[in-house]
Amino acid sequence: GVVYNYNEEGIHRAETGWEQCISIPLVQPDMFGLLQEWDKLLEEFSVGEAWLPHRYEEHDYNCYTYALAFINSVLAAQGKQQMSKSEFTEKFVIPQTKKASKYITLHQELTANEFYIVPLPDQEKQC
């Protein structure tokens, strides 16, 4: 898909270059309608004056602020309570980073010790 991001040069849309990022699922499976509108909502949100390059500030008004502001705009449109930075970090970011950290550590250990992974016989049939 397309990744939207915000930095000192403004809003960017990229189809490549984010292969090493962590994806954090935000939309519940029962909210399929929202998934259909997500791109349109994100595009509309991103053209606002709030995200002009001169407003960017590395520590207080950055890509994290942009992502959280978009999420909060969707929550507000649904009549739901908005999230603070700390709540969003605790609920969504930390759990995914912990999983990624465990995976990276395991991968590094396997690679360092010259292990490789092959599917079990039962799993081969499922693929």
Side-chain angles (χ1 to χ4, degrees):
V2 175
V3 176
Y4 284 68
N5 62 88
Y6 174 64
N7 65 16
E8 62 276 351
E9 296 172 359
I11 298 293
H12 301 276
R13 294 156 191 84
E15 292 185 25
T16 60
W18 290 85
E19 294 80 11
Q20 298 290 319
C21 71
I22 297 174
S23 176
I24 300 175
L26 300 171
V27 180
Q28 302 295 325
D30 63 336
M31 300 177 79
F32 186 74
L34 179 58
L35 280 176
Q36 299 298 323
E37 290 185 59
W38 194 267
D39 290 342
K40 185 183 99 175
L41 293 171
L42 188 51
E43 183 60 35
E44 290 170 0
F45 177 81
S46 298
V47 296
E49 287 188 27
W51 311 111
L52 293 173
H54 72 277
R55 293 181 180 256
Y56 181 85
E57 205 287 313
E58 185 176 355
H59 298 289
D60 296 317
Y61 203 81
N62 51 36
C63 199
Y64 193 89
T65 308
Y66 166 74
L68 183 57
F70 172 69
I71 292 163
N72 278 332
S73 74
V74 172
L75 290 171
Q78 295 176 323
K80 296 181 179 177
Q81 184 176 346
Q82 296 185 4
M83 285 188 277
S84 67
K85 280 186 178 184
S86 60
E87 181 183 6
F88 178 67
T89 302
E90 287 176 29
K91 255 179 130 171
F92 293 96
V93 178
I94 291 174
Q96 295 299 327
T97 4
K98 283 182 178 180
K99 286 179 190 176
S101 177
K102 288 177 183 178
Y103 175 80
I104 291 167
T105 302
L106 177 61
H107 182 270
Q108 288 171 338
E109 286 296 318
L110 291 171
T111 304
N113 293 297
E114 299 182 16
F115 284 91
Y116 60 95
I117 301 170
V118 294
L120 296 172
D122 289 339
Q123 290 177 333
E124 287 178 14
K125 293 174 188 172
Q126 294 174 358
C127 294

